[in-house]
């Protein structure tokens, strides 16, 4: 039985070992199946799913996939990272149904053209920043607000526009959505009698989509 200085030294070594094991990131390594890496992020090393095993699991996503620890991976073999996307879609769908019933269905349709001699309203791209409600709606419920605008201008039904805007905006197909959005935006401008330019509208839809939707809502 060790006593005195030996016992103190043994206790110090034991506590040091426990500290290395318990401190996050302190010498941490994971078993990737056939090799060791600093963390599951480093397991694939450019090889993809085939190098993600052991303590890690490969989860799929619309953009390819990622290697994560099994403790945080979705349940089931080959889990999918699209679950949060689907959940947000369901929440958005519920809000869209309520918003349509309480707001959209009560709004009048936009008039066709402008009265002779009436100049178009001067609204800059960032004019939506003057309205807190519009900013919040376009930030957190962009597809719903865009669908409301298209329905009011009679260029597209509310539900088709809402679904297309959600799928296209929050997926790798954003560029296709920008092209579709350009077409719809030009039709809204024509409905109101305002001039429109295809290239300009496309660039705005590509880089300033929320601001443009907010400006249309004013």
């Amino acid at each position: 039985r060790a006593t005195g200085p030996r016992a103190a030294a043994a206790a110090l070594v034991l506590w040091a070992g426990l500290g290395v094991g318990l401190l996050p990131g302190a010498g941490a390594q994971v078993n990737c199946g056939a090799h060791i890496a600093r963390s599951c992020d480093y397991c694939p090393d450019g090889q993809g799913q085939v190098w993600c095993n052991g303590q890690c699991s490969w989860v799929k996503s619309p953009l390819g996939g990622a290697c994560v620890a099994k403790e945080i991976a979705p349940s089931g073999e080959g889990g999918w990272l699209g679950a949060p996307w689907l959940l947000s879609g369901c929440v958005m769908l519920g809000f869209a149904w309520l918003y349509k019933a309480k707001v959209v269905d009560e709004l009048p349709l936009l008039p066709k053209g402008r009265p002779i001699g009436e100049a178009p309203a001067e609204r800059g791209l960032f004019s939506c920043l003057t309205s807190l409600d519009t900013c919040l709606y376009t930030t957190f419920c962009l597809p719903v607000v865009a669908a409301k605008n298209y329905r009011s201008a009679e260029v597209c039904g509310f539900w088709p526009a809402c679904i297309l805007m959600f799928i296209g905006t929050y997926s790798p197909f954003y560029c296709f959505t920008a092209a579709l959005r350009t077409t719809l935006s030009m039709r809204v401008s024509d409905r109101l009698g305002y001039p429109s330019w295809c290239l300009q509208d496309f660039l705005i839809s590509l880089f300033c989509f929320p601001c443009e939707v907010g400006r249309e809502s004013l």
Side-chain angles (χ1 to χ4, degrees):
R1 178 181 177 182
T3 59
R6 285 187 183 178
L12 181 60
V13 171
L14 176 61
W15 281 108
L18 289 175
V20 171
L22 294 177
L23 285 176
Q29 289 186 329
V30 296
N31 182 354
C32 303
H35 65 288
I36 302 296
R38 290 168 51 189
S39 68
C40 291
D41 294 339
Y42 292 89
C43 284
D45 195 22
Q47 304 300 319
Q49 182 176 356
V50 294
W51 278 29
C52 181
N53 300 288
Q55 294 177 281
C56 307
S57 178
W58 185 265
V59 291
K60 301 175 183 177
S61 76
L63 298 179
C67 189
V68 301
K70 286 186 175 180
E71 292 79 6
I72 63 174
S75 59
E77 185 69 22
W80 188 47
L81 284 178
W85 186 84
L86 292 176
L87 177 60
S88 65
C90 292
V91 173
M92 185 75 71
L93 181 64
F95 174 78
W97 176 83
L98 183 63
Y99 186 77
K100 182 178 185 299
K102 299 294 184 180
V103 178
V104 178
D105 290 343
E106 303 297 326
L107 293 175
L109 299 178
L110 294 177
K112 295 183 179 180
R114 299 190 312 272
I116 297 177
E118 180 182 328
E122 292 292 336
R123 293 196 178 103
L125 182 60
F126 302 105
S127 57
C128 65
L129 298 178
T130 61
S131 172
L132 179 60
D133 291 344
T134 302
C135 283
L136 292 176
Y137 275 122
T138 54
T139 299
F140 298 103
C141 309
L142 180 63
V144 179
V145 179
K148 181 262 293 183
N149 296 343
Y150 302 146
R151 177 265 179 192
S152 297
E154 294 186 290
V155 300
C156 186
F158 177 83
W159 287 115
C162 186
I163 294 172
L164 286 174
M165 289 299 108
F166 178 82
I167 295 176
T169 302
Y170 306 118
S171 74
F173 306 107
Y174 181 77
C175 290
F176 296 100
T177 306
L180 174 62
R181 154 80 189 156
T182 301
T183 302
L184 295 175
S185 179
M186 294 178 66
R187 292 179 63 184
V188 172
S189 298
D190 291 341
R191 174 65 181 262
L192 297 174
Y194 297 158
S196 61
W197 295 271
C198 183
L199 179 59
Q200 174 181 292
D201 289 345
F202 176 74
L203 292 176
I204 290 176
S205 297
L206 192 63
F207 298 108
C208 307
F209 188 17
C211 291
E212 176 66 4
V213 171
R215 178 169 66 172
E216 289 178 349
S217 299
L218 296 176

